[in-house]
Every structure is written in C-alpha cells, then in structure tokens.
Amino acid sequence: GESVGLHLPTLSVQEGDNSIINCAYSNSASDYFIWYKQESGKGPQFIIDIRSNMDKRQGQRVTVLLNKTVKHLSLQIAATQPGDSAVYFCAEALSGNTPLVFGKGTRLSVIA
Amino acid sequence: GAVVSQHPSWVICKSGTSVKIECRSLDFQATTMFWYRQFPKQSLMLMATSNEGSKATYEQGVEKDKFLINHASLTLSTLTVTSAHPEDSSFYICSAAGGTTSTDTQYFGPGTRLTVL
C-alpha cells in the first residue's frame, strides 16, 4: 500500500507485482519530464523521459504516462524486483537544457 | 555513454575552510552543467546553472560569493564552498547536458557528500 512518511511517501510492493508511482507537476508550460531513480548515497539515475507531445512512452520494464490535462505523471514498473527499491523522483523542465524542478520523491520498497 | 563523474565522493573539513568539488563529463561535451544540493530525505534543490565560458546563474537564496562555480571547459565544472560551516553539510550533485544527439537529458554525477565539522 501507499503511506506518507515523515518526509517521503512510501510505496511497498511485493516482488513480481507491478508498481505505479505517481507525480503531480506544477508548470503547465513544462515540455519535458523525466523519472530518476536514486539509491541511497548515490546520484540520480536516469530511467525514462517523455516530452509533452506524447502521452505514453515505454522502456525496458518501465512505462511513463503523461496526462497534461491534470498535470499528472506516472511511472509504471513491471514485475518489480528487489533491485528496484530506491527513491524515485519525477522532474519537469521547459526543455532539456533548462533547470529541472524535482518533485518530492517516492520511496519504493520491494518486499521479497 | 553519458557518464558524469564527481570528485571527491566525500569530504570532511573543518569549519571555515574551503572545499572544491569537481564535476566532469567523461564521454561527451556538456554545454550546460547544473549544481544541486540535497539534504537527507529531501529532494534535489537547484543551486546554479553553469554554461561553459560564462558566469553561472544562481537560484534565489543561493549566495554566489559562498558557492563559487567555474565552468572553464566543456567537460569540467567546479563548485567551491568557501568558508564552509556545519549548515553547509549536504550531498552536492552535479548534472551535465548538451552532449548527446538523441536527447538533451541531464545526466547526473554520483554526488559528493560534504561534512563540515
């Protein structure tokens, strides 16, 4: 289930299940959206990105969905594995070379 | 490809000293580099945007005289924390963009953990 911790919301899923991490972005003019994965003590790792002229993009085991009407972004991870445990951040920008604005992050905890 | 490195990965210093952190794009030329700060259990906060050969653009509330940024080449940017104090202890992360043709995604370095005693 999903719960709100002191600082980061946490999503706990069973290994093998699908995960859905949600993000509400703030700027309707944002053109570029990215999901990053951050493991403890490391820098963010690029997962997948999407531009505003698309509503869905698929990668390996991941899918990003963009709903511009309600300014909502989601990351779907298929067949979640223990190695997927990390904090996931969405980020938005006006373009790829403009500053990113990061969301607060969601901690994904995979239960083996 | 698109590897960004940072050095050092961690540093402990005494209050009042200055610390320099390097950010390098190893296999591409970065027209723009960004510096972020991240406190425990919080998100990344942009400190400044750095373009090669020009002065950095600092975000509101970030002291440019305290956090000196130099972007002397297309593969190197440095952040110097001057007269560091315990409240400057944080995880500093850089990102680089502009070097790939398929996307102008920002690629992040592994971060530098600064502890000021």
Side-chain angles (χ1 to χ4, degrees):
Chain A
E2 191 170 319
S3 64
V4 177
L6 285 177
H7 296 287
L8 293 172
T10 300
L11 176 65
S12 297
V13 297
Q14 291 286 338
E15 180 180 0
D17 287 353
N18 296 333
S19 303
I20 300 176
I21 302 171
N22 297 303
C23 175
Y25 64 91
S26 58
N27 190 346
S28 57
S30 291
D31 175 60
Y32 184 53
F33 305 88
I34 314 173
W35 280 101
Y36 286 97
K37 171 186 180 183
Q38 187 178 29
E39 296 175 306
S40 181
K42 298 183 179 180
Q45 176 187 353
F46 172 86
I47 300 175
I48 192 168
D49 59 0
I50 189 169
R51 293 200 176 273
S52 60
N53 61 351
M54 302 173 68
D55 53 20
K56 180 179 180 179
R57 192 172 185 210
Q58 289 184 297
Q60 187 177 11
R61 275 201 312 121
V62 295
T63 301
V64 56
L65 298 176
L66 175 63
N67 185 330
K68 295 181 287 293
T69 303
V70 294
K71 294 191 289 186
H72 185 267
L73 194 68
S74 68
L75 176 70
Q76 300 178 1
I77 303 174
T80 312
Q81 302 168 0
D84 294 327
S85 294
V87 176
Y88 289 80
F89 292 98
C90 67
E92 60 181 302
L94 293 176
S95 70
N97 274 19
T98 56
L100 290 172
V101 176
F102 279 79
K104 294 184 178 180
T106 297
R107 181 176 300 282
L108 176 65
S109 179
V110 181
I111 304 167
Chain B
V3 177
V4 177
S5 70
Q6 282 185 240
H7 178 81
S9 56
W10 59 270
V11 57
I12 301 173
C13 70
K14 292 182 179 180
S15 184
T17 60
S18 295
V19 174
K20 179 185 284 188
I21 303 170
E22 293 185 350
C23 176
R24 293 182 185 271
S25 57
L26 299 184
D27 51 2
F28 68 100
Q29 292 185 324
T31 56
T32 309
M33 287 185 170
F34 303 88
W35 286 96
Y36 296 83
R37 181 166 51 182
Q38 185 179 32
F39 292 106
K41 297 186 179 181
Q42 294 188 26
S43 189
L44 283 75
M45 296 299 295
L46 179 67
M47 299 176 67
T49 302
S50 171
N51 291 295
E52 185 264 340
S54 60
K55 290 183 178 180
T57 301
Y58 290 80
E59 294 299 299
Q60 191 172 12
V62 178
E63 301 174 59
K64 62 180 181 180
D65 295 329
K66 181 171 182 62
F67 299 99
L68 302 178
I69 292 173
N70 183 279
H71 192 163
S73 76
L74 284 171
T75 59
L76 173 65
S77 177
T78 61
L79 167 67
T80 302
V81 183
T82 62
S83 186
H85 292 284
E87 57 266 28
D88 298 323
S89 298
S90 188
F91 194 47
Y92 291 86
I93 309 172
C94 72
S95 72
T100 63
T101 56
S102 60
T103 174
D104 47 7
T105 300
Q106 292 181 32
Y107 292 93
F108 283 79
T112 297
R113 184 159 304 282
L114 170 63
T115 301
V116 184
L117 303 177

